[in-house]
Amino acid sequence: MKHLLIAAGILSATSAIAADKPQLTVYTYDSFVSDWGPGPQVKEAFEAVCECELNLVGVEDGAALLSRIRLEGENSDADVVLGLDTNLITAAKETGLFAPNPVSAEFALPIEWSDDTFTPYDWGYFAFVHNADATAPANFRALADSETKIIIQDPRSSTPGLGLLMWVKAAYGDEAPEIWAGLADNIVTVTKGWSEAYGLFLEGESDMVLSYTTSPAYHLIAEEDASKAAAAFDEGNYLQVEVAAKLAGTDQPELADQFLNFMVTDAFQQIIPTTNWMYPAVTPADGLPEGFDTLTVPAKSLLFSPDEAAAVRDQALAEWQNALSQ
């Protein structure tokens, strides 16, 4: 009994210590918090320096994050949102739910970065991934004219899905409806998020899947498998910069600031390439992992500014929906 009482006392003391630690809640996308994603390593690394508990909450895919924050409003449990991108920055700011936090870093982005609210943590180019032994279409028109079967993501819930809308719109402008009309019969299915789409592709359900030029690095580095490739399109490939920001209503503002500043350090950035399979926003001291030098690099990149993306989003979504409903 004495030993039981001592053990109970130790457990009680341990619980009390844990309860005294502040908690930082970060909303992000499901693949980030998965066992194979950055989440577990980021949690361990940040908790080693913050004297806190990091609570990472997976909320489907990137675009669904903004919908969740809008729904919860000022009552959100989130302190930080990680997983939006430049296509959603203007819409996010319009909610009034995000707080300024200018993080200073030597960003290794292909664009100049200046934003007082959102901080980039990785970037990449959207691309259609395919089996390396297959001949890939060289542009959207060739894809539409081919029998190639593709899987894409829903732009209302997924940042890659929204990125594809912006890609087509940036490349073709007023001709975008024609492109979507041609692509409609190539689309096998539209998934809510990236993970589901990529999984279906790996199961052989399509010839190509909307993903990133960096996706083949996973197969090459983690699986020693060079059987996947990403297509560089003649029109150019659309750039994605993923970002994070703190909520104005957070009850842990200093801890949220600490996390955002931690996000651009080596401790965080060195985790990104081989877990999120994207380029880090700040190049780690040891550089990029071996294998990244073999990746497809588009000759041309496309990108709307946040305000431009917000201005064309509704029209691009309507064009996409109209084509797929025919």
Side-chain angles (χ1 to χ4, degrees):
M1 180 64 72
K2 183 177 181 180
H3 294 299
L4 289 176
L5 289 173
I6 292 173
I10 292 172
L11 287 173
S12 177
T14 301
S15 299
I17 292 171
D20 286 342
K21 285 188 175 183
Q23 183 179 91
L24 185 75
T25 297
V26 177
Y27 282 6
T28 184
Y29 40 81
D30 285 341
S31 62
F32 195 95
V33 302
S34 66
D35 290 341
W36 47 266
Q41 292 185 49
V42 168
K43 177 179 173 66
E44 181 179 0
F46 186 60
E47 288 182 346
V49 298
C50 73
E51 298 183 356
C52 71
E53 180 183 350
L54 180 60
N55 179 30
L56 295 169
V57 179
V59 184
E60 295 181 345
D61 213 334
L65 286 169
L66 185 54
S67 298
R68 172 76 171 265
I69 292 299
R70 280 187 177 129
L71 181 65
E72 294 180 349
E74 295 179 357
N75 296 318
S76 178
D77 291 332
D79 301 298
V80 171
V81 171
L82 181 153
L84 305 182
D85 66 11
T86 55
N87 293 325
L88 293 170
I89 282 179
T90 295
K93 287 184 176 180
E94 288 173 350
T95 67
L97 297 172
F98 292 88
N101 178 42
V103 173
S104 178
E106 190 173 332
F107 292 115
L109 302 172
I111 59 171
E112 290 294 322
W113 189 264
S114 60
D115 191 282
D116 66 356
T117 301
F118 288 88
T119 302
Y121 63 92
D122 70 15
W123 65 277
Y125 296 100
F126 293 118
F128 284 95
V129 172
H130 58 93
N131 290 323
D133 59 1
T135 301
N139 52 61
F140 280 111
R141 291 191 186 278
L143 175 57
D145 290 340
S146 73
E147 298 298 318
T148 304
K149 297 303 180 186
I150 63 175
I151 294 175
I152 64 174
Q153 298 87 32
D154 193 323
R156 295 163 295 188
S157 57
S158 165
T159 52
L162 179 58
L164 179 58
L165 294 194
M166 298 295 105
W167 186 1
V168 172
K169 198 67 177 170
Y172 289 96
D174 292 340
E175 297 179 14
E178 174 191 341
I179 298 300
W180 280 116
L183 291 173
D185 60 359
N186 297 90
I187 299 171
V188 175
T189 190
V190 178
T191 64
K192 289 188 72 174
W194 175 88
S195 297
E196 181 185 356
Y198 206 82
L200 290 172
F201 163 69
L202 294 179
E203 291 169 6
E205 297 297 321
S206 68
D207 302 308
M208 302 176 80
V209 62
L210 176 64
S211 193
Y212 299 88
T213 60
T214 46
S215 296
Y218 163 75
H219 303 284
L220 186 64
I221 297 171
E223 301 179 333
E224 298 184 349
D225 175 8
S227 67
K228 301 296 182 289
F233 273 14
D234 296 338
E235 307 96 324
N237 290 55
Y238 198 87
L239 177 68
Q240 182 184 45
V241 179
E242 294 194 293
V243 298
K246 71 174 179 179
L247 275 295
T250 176
D251 58 0
Q252 298 287 348
E254 293 181 359
L255 199 54
D257 288 346
Q258 183 182 355
F259 178 81
L260 291 171
N261 280 280
F262 169 79
M263 200 175 65
V264 298
T265 66
D266 255 23
F268 182 104
Q269 290 290 302
Q270 67 186 358
I271 295 170
I272 291 297
T274 55
T275 55
N276 222 32
W277 303 100
M278 296 280 277
Y279 293 106
V282 179
T283 304
D286 292 338
L288 296 175
E290 185 177 352
F292 268 66
D293 58 334
T294 68
L295 299 176
T296 296
V297 178
K300 179 181 179 182
S301 64
L302 303 171
L303 182 67
F304 284 127
S305 71
D307 287 346
E308 289 170 336
V312 302
R313 180 186 180 279
D314 288 346
Q315 181 183 359
L317 180 60
E319 292 167 351
W320 174 79
Q321 290 176 311
N322 183 60
L324 268 61
S325 66
Q326 299 302 313

